[in-house]
Structure formats: structure tokens, C-alpha cells
Amino acid sequence: MGKVSQKNNIRRNLILRSLLTNGQMSLTDLRNDTGITIPVVSKIIDSLKKDNLVVDVDSFEQLQAGRPPSVVKINGSAGYIIGVDLDRIYTHFVVINLEQDIILKCDVKKSFLSNDESAINELEHEIQGVLNKARIDKATLLGIGISVPGIVNGPKGISVSYLNFNEQPLQEFLSAKFKKPVHIEHDVKAMALGELWFGQARGRENVLCLKIDWGIGLGIIINGKIYYGNDSYSGEFGHLNIESSHGELCYCGKRGCLETIASGRAIIKKVKDKLLTGQDSLILKDVKNSDEVDFRNIVEAANKGDQFALEVLEDMAKYLGYGAGILINLFNPEMIILGGYIPSEAPPVFTDIIKMNSVKRSLSQLNNNVIFSRSNLGKYGSALGVAMLAARDLFEIEHLNPAAYI
């Protein structure tokens, strides 16, 4: 790409990125946000209108004054992005348009987390089914975002734990497979991005997002941005040592990790062991035998008032509170958002116990103003976050030097 073409492309993407982030804007707003002069902004906007990427917004004041529209926005119907959250039991899908409207949310009880390429073929088929359900032609699909659990380096497109094919970065593999731009991200960082763009972290600066599901993870928002850490692997909250070196052996090889006592995986094991010894519970009414129990059955039983299920969740929340207290001392956050299936669906007392025990384990000067909140995005937080990440990546400028061309 020549220098002139590169300059035009950067300016174009800067304007589209600004509209994607801020919604409808005037030419003056765009100048102030991008640093591009109004004549150049006006020229680029005219080009984007011809490409059907941008449309005018007619305000009542403009129509009354007889002036031509000077406020624009991205044309939402110009294209769509699908966000996919690969969970260990369920897979969650969302479809959004370029205006960030949510077109569809759905899920299937199926996991695609393996290192077998056939899993990707199945996922491709499932994505096409979601597009059919949303009545969207694949030709209008502009990008795909996929959130993956385990050890993931999102910026480099690498998944270490799952879908690891011949040492090729997962992002490259999927882009070639789907013939669409693909962005991958760690599932908990994706959840934090979902909270930043669609949820309760919007407009906030310092927020911790805990995803409590099969495992436990932490998305860290500092100064309004996701904190990745030196190698992009930050947030392994589930491997915080809570029960000293004498606790249960974790799959990571250490003992006493929080995941061994307060994750979905841990409570499933605890419940199965108790049911095998004759523990009576409503949990058994939803499954044929104890081997079929998952944490959703436990949460559902708790919501029906089952004493055993409630006690399991209360014990889980206690230990999560101990961990949250450590986080408060370390980060002094303004808000802690509890996401994932368990806190989203569990009885309200679950959040209360986490907060109460975090206060016990943190300094009063640091915990006085912390807001504890359950995510309002439910089980779709990660899918929404990675969809928006893929949308922003369509107008990518980070690897260039925009200041040299504005």
C-alpha cells in the first residue's frame, strides 16, 4: 500500500472506529476525537456514505432550521459480527450489527474445545446455523470473535490449552478456515470487554470482573482499559492459593488453589461425592443419576429452596469472598462485577456472602466504596465482548502510526 493510500485508509478507519465507539457524531465531534481536519472529515464521510457504511442522522432541530444534516452514524445494516463463547459444556452465540444492536442470542449444549480439527468443522456448521436463524447472509458477515478458556494470548491469536493446531496461531487457522477476519480472546478478558461496552463497567475506570463458571477467572480493567500483563496471561485468579500447601491438588499441579474449592468444577465433585453417600436433594430430580450432575442443576435446586444446594453455594461464596478481599487490597477497585452462569443465576444471598467475606479479608479504607454487582449480561458477556472486539478490529489502526498521517 502506497503512502497516500495508507494515509487515507488510516483516516477512514479512525473515523469509523470513532463512530463505532461513540455512536452518532457531528463533523466537529469527529474532528475533536480523531484530530483530522473538518474538510478531510467531510470528504471521508462522503466516501463512506457512498460505500453505505455511514448514514445521516436527521435531528428535529436540523429539520426545523432547514439546514442539511451534519450528524452521522455507522449504518448498522452494512454488516454483522458474530461472537462465540466456547464454554466447556455450553457454547454461547451472539450476533450484532455495526451499530452494536444485538440481533440474536442463543446457545447449544455442546463443547468444541478439543485439538481435533473436526471440532472446527462442527463449529463452522453451527455458526452457519446461527446466521440462518438470524436471517443473515454469510456474505454480510464481516468478522467473527471467539472467546476461549484456558491459557490464551489474545493479541497474538494464540490458544495454548485448546484448539491448538500444529503450532499455528488459532487466529490464523480460523481466519483461513472461515474465510473471514477472526479475533480470539481469553474468555474472562472477553467478559470484561463485554462489561466495558455493554454492561456495568461502561464509563468506569477501575473494575474487576470475576467469571465464576466451570473455572474461575479475573478480567482486570485499569484506567478504562483491559490489563493484559507482560505476556497477556494476567487474571489467573482461580490459582490463588487459599488452602495452603495442604489443600486439594489442582490441575495446574499446585495445591490449595481457589479453583479446587470454589469453581463449578469443584462443587460438582463435592455434590457428586455427597449424593453417592446418600445425601437427599432436589438435584436428583433433574438427572437420571449423580454422574449427570452439573453446576446448573445445583443452582436450579438452590433456587427451589433445596437446603443442601444452598449450603454448597454458600460455602463456595465464602471462599470466593476470601479471594475477593485479596483483590480489593491489591487493586482498590471501584466495582467488582460477578459474571458467569453461577452468580448470574444463583440466589441473591450468593453475592451477599461474597461481599461480606471480602470485607473480612480487606482493609476498610479500601473496601468502603467498592460496589459488588452481578453482571446484567448473564451468560452472554464473553460472546458480546469478543464480538465487539472483532468489530473494532475491522477498523484496525493499532499496528500503524496514525499520528504520522493525520
Side-chain angles (χ1 to χ4, degrees):
M1 186 183 292
K3 187 169 183 178
V4 172
S5 297
Q6 190 176 44
K7 181 194 294 185
N8 290 335
N9 190 52
I10 290 171
R11 287 171 169 172
R12 181 183 172 97
N13 279 4
L14 278 168
I15 287 172
L16 286 168
R17 175 72 71 86
S18 185
L19 289 169
L20 186 70
T21 302
N22 300 300
Q24 60 188 49
M25 301 176 76
S26 68
L27 301 188
T28 302
D29 293 333
L30 285 165
R31 179 199 63 191
N32 294 340
D33 194 52
T34 65
I36 303 171
T37 63
I38 284 186
V40 175
V41 168
S42 180
K43 183 178 179 181
I44 293 172
I45 289 295
D46 287 341
S47 172
L48 292 171
K49 287 178 183 177
K50 289 178 183 177
D51 292 339
N52 203 34
L53 283 169
V54 167
V55 293
D56 288 313
V57 178
D58 294 330
S59 71
F60 177 78
E61 291 80 4
Q62 289 165 344
L63 293 173
Q64 287 294 99
R67 293 184 282 111
S70 57
V71 177
V72 296
K73 67 176 184 176
I74 282 185
N75 179 10
S77 61
Y80 302 87
I81 302 95
I82 188 167
V84 185
D85 176 31
L86 301 180
D87 201 349
R88 291 173 177 85
I89 300 176
Y90 286 78
T91 300
H92 309 289
F93 300 89
V94 298
V95 179
I96 64 172
N97 66 15
L98 281 179
E99 211 173 345
Q100 302 171 47
D101 298 318
I102 299 170
I103 308 301
L104 178 72
K105 296 189 291 187
C106 62
D107 47 62
V108 294
K109 191 172 183 179
K110 187 186 295 185
S111 176
F112 301 94
L113 295 173
S114 77
N115 292 330
D116 185 341
E117 196 171 327
S118 65
I120 297 300
N121 296 330
E122 291 179 28
L123 178 59
E124 183 179 23
H125 176 75
E126 204 68 53
I127 286 174
Q128 184 59 58
V130 171
L131 294 176
N132 292 341
K133 193 173 182 179
R135 298 182 179 179
I136 290 172
D137 191 317
K138 193 173 181 179
T140 63
L141 181 66
L142 300 180
I144 302 170
I146 299 181
S147 81
V148 187
I151 304 298
V152 178
N153 185 322
K156 291 185 178 179
I158 296 171
S159 171
V160 177
S161 304
Y162 302 102
L163 303 172
N164 198 331
F165 303 113
N166 302 318
E167 299 184 357
Q168 182 182 18
L170 180 60
Q171 186 171 354
E172 288 182 13
F173 179 87
L174 294 177
S175 295
K177 183 73 176 177
F178 295 144
K179 297 178 176 57
K180 298 286 181 182
V182 174
H183 199 108
I184 74 160
E185 186 54 274
H186 184 263
D187 64 332
V188 186
K189 291 183 178 67
M191 175 201 151
L193 289 165
E195 294 296 337
L196 265 178
W197 286 318
F198 294 93
Q200 298 179 66
R202 191 167 189 146
R204 296 185 181 274
E205 293 291 312
N206 301 297
V207 179
L208 300 178
C209 300
L210 303 185
K211 187 173 184 181
I212 305 155
D213 222 276
W214 178 261
I216 303 170
L218 170 67
I220 306 165
I221 300 170
I222 297 177
N223 297 327
K225 295 181 179 179
I226 299 295
Y227 175 74
Y228 280 88
N230 187 58
D231 298 306
S232 298
Y233 298 136
S234 68
E236 290 297 330
F237 175 58
H239 298 288
L240 198 68
N241 188 285
I242 294 293
E243 284 205 320
S244 77
S245 59
H246 303 296
E248 186 177 333
L249 182 67
C250 181
Y251 65 87
C252 73
K254 309 293 190 297
R255 289 190 177 274
C257 291
L258 186 59
E259 283 222 7
T260 65
I261 48 177
S263 64
R265 182 206 317 261
I267 64 170
I268 289 171
K269 182 179 183 302
K270 181 177 181 178
V271 166
K272 285 182 176 180
D273 290 346
K274 285 284 189 180
L275 292 176
L276 286 173
T277 63
Q279 174 68 52
D280 190 29
S281 171
L282 291 176
I283 295 169
L284 289 170
K285 294 188 180 297
D286 295 326
V287 296
K288 293 178 182 177
N289 57 67
S290 61
D291 287 338
E292 296 182 1
V293 171
D294 72 26
F295 54 78
R296 286 166 175 77
N297 303 128
I298 301 167
V299 171
E300 288 167 9
N303 280 318
K304 293 174 184 176
D306 183 76
Q307 189 63 38
F308 171 59
L310 283 166
E311 288 171 359
V312 169
L313 291 182
E314 288 169 5
D315 196 48
M316 179 188 195
K318 177 184 72 174
Y319 285 106
L320 288 168
Y322 293 168
I326 294 171
L327 295 179
I328 290 171
N329 283 343
L330 287 174
F331 292 101
N332 186 208
E334 59 185 297
M335 173 178 274
I336 294 179
I337 298 174
L338 305 175
Y341 179 87
I342 296 174
S344 298
E345 301 295 329
V349 69
F350 185 80
T351 302
D352 297 336
I353 293 171
I354 292 176
K355 182 176 181 179
M356 180 180 68
N357 283 281
S358 74
V359 169
K360 289 180 181 178
R361 296 297 180 101
S362 59
L363 297 174
S364 59
Q365 294 89 341
L366 279 70
N367 64 41
N368 273 339
N369 298 314
V370 179
I371 300 168
F372 275 79
S373 179
R374 296 202 290 183
S375 173
N376 57 7
L377 303 180
K379 56 189 175 182
Y380 296 103
S382 295
L384 283 167
V386 82
M388 193 61 187
L389 195 61
R392 286 173 61 84
D393 200 49
L394 294 170
F395 314 131
E396 186 268 339
I397 55 174
E398 276 74 13
H399 77 289
L400 302 169
N401 178 18
Y405 298 99
I406 292 172

mmCIF file of all heavy atoms in Angstrom, residues 277-296:
data_model
loop_
_atom_site.group_PDB
_atom_site.id
_atom_site.type_symbol
_atom_site.label_atom_id
_atom_site.label_comp_id
_atom_site.label_asym_id
_atom_site.label_seq_id
_atom_site.Cartn_x
_atom_site.Cartn_y
_atom_site.Cartn_z
ATOM 1 N N THR A 277 -23.123 -40.860 48.930
ATOM 2 C CA THR A 277 -23.204 -41.333 50.323
ATOM 3 C C THR A 277 -24.625 -41.283 50.864
ATOM 4 O O THR A 277 -24.852 -41.499 52.057
ATOM 5 C CB THR A 277 -22.274 -40.493 51.229
ATOM 6 O OG1 THR A 277 -22.719 -39.130 51.242
ATOM 7 C CG2 THR A 277 -20.824 -40.562 50.755
ATOM 8 N N GLY A 278 -25.600 -40.943 49.986
ATOM 9 C CA GLY A 278 -26.994 -40.965 50.409
ATOM 10 C C GLY A 278 -27.610 -39.613 50.685
ATOM 11 O O GLY A 278 -28.750 -39.539 51.164
ATOM 12 N N GLN A 279 -26.903 -38.508 50.416
ATOM 13 C CA GLN A 279 -27.453 -37.166 50.618
ATOM 14 C C GLN A 279 -28.729 -36.990 49.786
ATOM 15 O O GLN A 279 -28.748 -37.247 48.575
ATOM 16 C CB GLN A 279 -26.422 -36.114 50.212
ATOM 17 C CG GLN A 279 -26.930 -34.685 50.243
ATOM 18 C CD GLN A 279 -27.219 -34.189 51.647
ATOM 19 O OE1 GLN A 279 -26.366 -34.285 52.517
ATOM 20 N NE2 GLN A 279 -28.410 -33.657 51.853
ATOM 21 N N ASP A 280 -29.782 -36.535 50.431
ATOM 22 C CA ASP A 280 -31.046 -36.288 49.738
ATOM 23 C C ASP A 280 -31.057 -34.861 49.210
ATOM 24 O O ASP A 280 -30.623 -33.934 49.902
ATOM 25 C CB ASP A 280 -32.218 -36.514 50.700
ATOM 26 C CG ASP A 280 -33.557 -36.505 49.979
ATOM 27 O OD1 ASP A 280 -33.574 -36.876 48.792
ATOM 28 O OD2 ASP A 280 -34.562 -36.123 50.593
ATOM 29 N N SER A 281 -31.541 -34.679 47.990
ATOM 30 C CA SER A 281 -31.542 -33.339 47.407
ATOM 31 C C SER A 281 -32.450 -33.291 46.190
ATOM 32 O O SER A 281 -32.617 -34.292 45.470
ATOM 33 C CB SER A 281 -30.124 -32.943 46.992
ATOM 34 O OG SER A 281 -30.132 -31.737 46.249
ATOM 35 N N LEU A 282 -33.009 -32.103 45.938
ATOM 36 C CA LEU A 282 -33.806 -31.881 44.731
ATOM 37 C C LEU A 282 -32.962 -32.001 43.468
ATOM 38 O O LEU A 282 -33.503 -32.151 42.363
ATOM 39 C CB LEU A 282 -34.446 -30.486 44.773
ATOM 40 C CG LEU A 282 -35.543 -30.252 45.813
ATOM 41 C CD1 LEU A 282 -36.004 -28.800 45.778
ATOM 42 C CD2 LEU A 282 -36.716 -31.187 45.577
ATOM 43 N N ILE A 283 -31.655 -31.912 43.625
ATOM 44 C CA ILE A 283 -30.748 -32.034 42.473
ATOM 45 C C ILE A 283 -31.027 -33.336 41.725
ATOM 46 O O ILE A 283 -30.981 -33.391 40.494
ATOM 47 C CB ILE A 283 -29.276 -31.993 42.943
ATOM 48 C CG1 ILE A 283 -28.951 -30.625 43.557
ATOM 49 C CG2 ILE A 283 -28.316 -32.302 41.794
ATOM 50 C CD1 ILE A 283 -27.617 -30.571 44.285
ATOM 51 N N LEU A 284 -31.340 -34.392 42.463
ATOM 52 C CA LEU A 284 -31.541 -35.708 41.859
ATOM 53 C C LEU A 284 -32.810 -35.784 41.010
ATOM 54 O O LEU A 284 -32.967 -36.708 40.211
ATOM 55 C CB LEU A 284 -31.585 -36.776 42.954
ATOM 56 C CG LEU A 284 -30.246 -37.070 43.642
ATOM 57 C CD1 LEU A 284 -30.448 -37.955 44.862
ATOM 58 C CD2 LEU A 284 -29.275 -37.722 42.651
ATOM 59 N N LYS A 285 -33.720 -34.831 41.185
ATOM 60 C CA LYS A 285 -34.954 -34.843 40.405
ATOM 61 C C LYS A 285 -34.725 -34.416 38.956
ATOM 62 O O LYS A 285 -35.549 -34.684 38.080
ATOM 63 C CB LYS A 285 -36.004 -33.929 41.055
ATOM 64 C CG LYS A 285 -36.478 -34.408 42.419
ATOM 65 C CD LYS A 285 -37.639 -33.577 42.922
ATOM 66 C CE LYS A 285 -38.107 -34.075 44.282
ATOM 67 N NZ LYS A 285 -38.618 -35.468 44.235
ATOM 68 N N ASP A 286 -33.604 -33.731 38.690
ATOM 69 C CA ASP A 286 -33.320 -33.211 37.346
ATOM 70 C C ASP A 286 -32.383 -34.100 36.541
ATOM 71 O O ASP A 286 -32.111 -33.819 35.374
ATOM 72 C CB ASP A 286 -32.713 -31.808 37.445
ATOM 73 C CG ASP A 286 -33.683 -30.798 38.031
ATOM 74 O OD1 ASP A 286 -34.893 -30.943 37.776
ATOM 75 O OD2 ASP A 286 -33.235 -29.880 38.747
ATOM 76 N N VAL A 287 -31.856 -35.161 37.159
ATOM 77 C CA VAL A 287 -30.898 -36.034 36.475
ATOM 78 C C VAL A 287 -31.260 -37.495 36.715
ATOM 79 O O VAL A 287 -31.948 -37.835 37.686
ATOM 80 C CB VAL A 287 -29.452 -35.770 36.964
ATOM 81 C CG1 VAL A 287 -29.012 -34.353 36.609
ATOM 82 C CG2 VAL A 287 -29.333 -35.999 38.467
ATOM 83 N N LYS A 288 -30.786 -38.360 35.834
ATOM 84 C CA LYS A 288 -31.058 -39.790 35.975
ATOM 85 C C LYS A 288 -30.219 -40.402 37.091
ATOM 86 O O LYS A 288 -30.668 -41.301 37.809
ATOM 87 C CB LYS A 288 -30.778 -40.498 34.648
ATOM 88 C CG LYS A 288 -31.750 -40.114 33.537
ATOM 89 C CD LYS A 288 -31.390 -40.812 32.240
ATOM 90 C CE LYS A 288 -32.335 -40.398 31.112
ATOM 91 N NZ LYS A 288 -31.949 -41.030 29.818
ATOM 92 N N ASN A 289 -28.977 -39.925 37.202
ATOM 93 C CA ASN A 289 -28.100 -40.397 38.275
ATOM 94 C C ASN A 289 -27.083 -39.313 38.592
ATOM 95 O O ASN A 289 -26.969 -38.315 37.862
ATOM 96 C CB ASN A 289 -27.401 -41.708 37.889
ATOM 97 C CG ASN A 289 -26.606 -41.568 36.594
ATOM 98 O OD1 ASN A 289 -25.617 -40.848 36.545
ATOM 99 N ND2 ASN A 289 -27.047 -42.271 35.556
ATOM 100 N N SER A 290 -26.333 -39.493 39.673
ATOM 101 C CA SER A 290 -25.415 -38.454 40.145
ATOM 102 C C SER A 290 -24.312 -38.133 39.142
ATOM 103 O O SER A 290 -23.760 -37.028 39.152
ATOM 104 C CB SER A 290 -24.794 -38.872 41.482
ATOM 105 O OG SER A 290 -24.059 -40.075 41.338
ATOM 106 N N ASP A 291 -23.978 -39.060 38.244
ATOM 107 C CA ASP A 291 -22.926 -38.808 37.251
ATOM 108 C C ASP A 291 -23.297 -37.690 36.282
ATOM 109 O O ASP A 291 -22.427 -37.081 35.661
ATOM 110 C CB ASP A 291 -22.625 -40.085 36.445
ATOM 111 C CG ASP A 291 -21.869 -41.125 37.260
ATOM 112 O OD1 ASP A 291 -21.231 -40.723 38.263
ATOM 113 O OD2 ASP A 291 -21.923 -42.312 36.912
ATOM 114 N N GLU A 292 -24.592 -37.418 36.127
ATOM 115 C CA GLU A 292 -25.043 -36.396 35.171
ATOM 116 C C GLU A 292 -25.125 -34.998 35.771
ATOM 117 O O GLU A 292 -25.427 -34.031 35.067
ATOM 118 C CB GLU A 292 -26.419 -36.785 34.623
ATOM 119 C CG GLU A 292 -26.418 -38.072 33.806
ATOM 120 C CD GLU A 292 -27.797 -38.376 33.250
ATOM 121 O OE1 GLU A 292 -28.728 -37.572 33.488
ATOM 122 O OE2 GLU A 292 -27.947 -39.408 32.580
ATOM 123 N N VAL A 293 -24.843 -34.850 37.050
ATOM 124 C CA VAL A 293 -24.976 -33.547 37.722
ATOM 125 C C VAL A 293 -23.979 -32.543 37.144
ATOM 126 O O VAL A 293 -22.796 -32.852 36.952
ATOM 127 C CB VAL A 293 -24.745 -33.691 39.240
ATOM 128 C CG1 VAL A 293 -24.652 -32.314 39.902
ATOM 129 C CG2 VAL A 293 -25.865 -34.507 39.862
ATOM 130 N N ASP A 294 -24.455 -31.335 36.817
ATOM 131 C CA ASP A 294 -23.538 -30.228 36.551
ATOM 132 C C ASP A 294 -23.954 -29.044 37.427
ATOM 133 O O ASP A 294 -24.957 -29.109 38.137
ATOM 134 C CB ASP A 294 -23.455 -29.868 35.059
ATOM 135 C CG ASP A 294 -24.694 -29.174 34.509
ATOM 136 O OD1 ASP A 294 -25.419 -28.517 35.278
ATOM 137 O OD2 ASP A 294 -24.945 -29.274 33.301
ATOM 138 N N PHE A 295 -23.172 -27.975 37.407
ATOM 139 C CA PHE A 295 -23.438 -26.889 38.365
ATOM 140 C C PHE A 295 -24.756 -26.177 38.098
ATOM 141 O O PHE A 295 -25.321 -25.553 38.981
ATOM 142 C CB PHE A 295 -22.276 -25.891 38.433
ATOM 143 C CG PHE A 295 -21.844 -25.311 37.114
ATOM 144 C CD1 PHE A 295 -22.554 -24.300 36.506
ATOM 145 C CD2 PHE A 295 -20.685 -25.758 36.494
ATOM 146 C CE1 PHE A 295 -22.149 -23.747 35.308
ATOM 147 C CE2 PHE A 295 -20.265 -25.219 35.286
ATOM 148 C CZ PHE A 295 -20.995 -24.211 34.688
ATOM 149 N N ARG A 296 -25.290 -26.311 36.901
ATOM 150 C CA ARG A 296 -26.597 -25.715 36.621
ATOM 151 C C ARG A 296 -27.691 -26.410 37.425
ATOM 152 O O ARG A 296 -28.618 -25.766 37.916
ATOM 153 C CB ARG A 296 -26.887 -25.773 35.120
ATOM 154 C CG ARG A 296 -26.071 -24.755 34.315
ATOM 155 C CD ARG A 296 -26.105 -25.041 32.825
ATOM 156 N NE ARG A 296 -25.430 -23.993 32.075
ATOM 157 C CZ ARG A 296 -24.123 -23.863 31.970
ATOM 158 N NH1 ARG A 296 -23.324 -24.718 32.594
ATOM 159 N NH2 ARG A 296 -23.564 -22.884 31.279
#
